[in-house]
Amino acid sequence: MKKLRYVVIACALGVTGCATTAPENLFQVAETSLQDRQMQSRFFETNNEIALLSAGVAVLQDMGYSIDETETKSGVVTASKTVDATNNAQMAGAVLAAVFLGANMSIDSQQQIKVSFVTLPSKNNKNGYLARATFQRIVINTQGQETRAETMKTEELYNEFFTKLSKSVFLEAQEI
């Protein structure tokens, strides 16, 4: 009977020892949140949301993305593509580790880039839509392990997308 009591106590301690607490900053908004949202969003003066979504699909396809899902009623398009993620510095480090230490070091090999493109009716202007794009990437190493998952915050990427989208919206409006 005493052994059973010790087993129960050990199990109880083991279970409570595994409990984790949430980080203090779990629900804290990042300081760059407003700047990120501004970089990821543009206003389009159009009353045709379907044409805006269609232009977004065309731009994403031109940029090499495959369209994963479209939900026109909700104003959502998702797309993705897989690209090379090899890094010369990582590769040099892996070679040095192999030569001097005999170690087999894994390096980043590919990354999956996912895009979410969303349109919303503008609250300030009845003849327009707010469009927001978010680019994220997941990096996989040579052993098939995920090494990094992050939202891409490269201003040039968002500028390229929205510049092409503006041109595409204009061309669709002119029926060209």
Side-chain angles (χ1 to χ4, degrees), residues 49-62 117 161 164-170 172:
E49 183 179 20
I50 301 298
L52 180 57
L53 287 167
S54 177
V57 166
V59 169
L60 289 169
Q61 288 175 329
D62 288 347
F117 175 60
F161 173 77
K164 289 179 178 183
L165 182 61
S166 293
K167 290 177 184 175
S168 184
V169 167
F170 174 77
E172 286 208 17

Side-chain angles (χ1 to χ4, degrees), residues 96-160:
L96 290 174
V99 169
F100 294 113
L101 304 174
N104 185 10
M105 191 173 113
S106 66
I107 59 171
D108 293 341
S109 66
Q110 67 179 6
Q111 59 185 335
Q112 172 125 30
I113 302 175
K114 297 182 179 247
V115 184
S116 172
F117 175 60
V118 180
T119 58
L120 295 166
S122 175
K123 292 179 183 177
N124 301 331
N125 186 338
K126 295 187 186 218
N127 294 328
Y129 283 86
L130 186 65
R132 184 172 182 185
T134 326
F135 291 81
Q136 298 173 323
R137 71 182 185 142
I138 300 169
V139 180
I140 308 294
N141 68 14
T142 51
Q143 295 178 346
Q145 299 168 323
E146 185 179 303
T147 60
R148 189 171 38 254
E150 62 191 1
T151 299
M152 299 170 74
K153 296 183 180 184
T154 310
E155 197 165 334
E156 293 82 23
L157 175 64
Y158 291 95
N159 286 338
E160 175 190 5

Side-chain angles (χ1 to χ4, degrees), residues 48-112:
N48 190 343
E49 183 179 20
I50 301 298
L52 180 57
L53 287 167
S54 177
V57 166
V59 169
L60 289 169
Q61 288 175 329
D62 288 347
M63 293 175 73
Y65 290 89
S66 297
I67 304 303
D68 298 328
E69 275 187 68
T70 58
E71 180 54 58
T72 54
K73 290 181 182 177
S74 300
V76 177
V77 174
T78 60
S80 61
K81 71 178 174 180
T82 301
V83 295
D84 183 40
T86 54
N87 176 316
N88 290 338
Q90 268 189 348
M91 208 174 280
V95 168
L96 290 174
V99 169
F100 294 113
L101 304 174
N104 185 10
M105 191 173 113
S106 66
I107 59 171
D108 293 341
S109 66
Q110 67 179 6
Q111 59 185 335
Q112 172 125 30

Side-chain angles (χ1 to χ4, degrees), residues 1-67:
M1 193 67 173
K2 278 188 176 182
K3 286 184 182 181
L4 180 61
R5 182 181 297 168
Y6 290 126
V7 170
V8 170
I9 291 172
C11 287
L13 289 174
V15 169
T16 58
C18 293
T20 59
T21 58
E24 286 182 31
N25 62 352
L26 179 64
F27 295 108
Q28 203 169 34
V29 177
E31 290 181 24
T32 62
S33 180
L34 178 61
Q35 294 160 334
D36 294 343
R37 191 170 54 236
Q38 288 173 338
M39 176 178 59
Q40 297 166 346
S41 305
R42 299 289 188 283
F43 172 77
F44 288 88
E45 195 167 325
T46 179
N47 56 5
N48 190 343
E49 183 179 20
I50 301 298
L52 180 57
L53 287 167
S54 177
V57 166
V59 169
L60 289 169
Q61 288 175 329
D62 288 347
M63 293 175 73
Y65 290 89
S66 297
I67 304 303

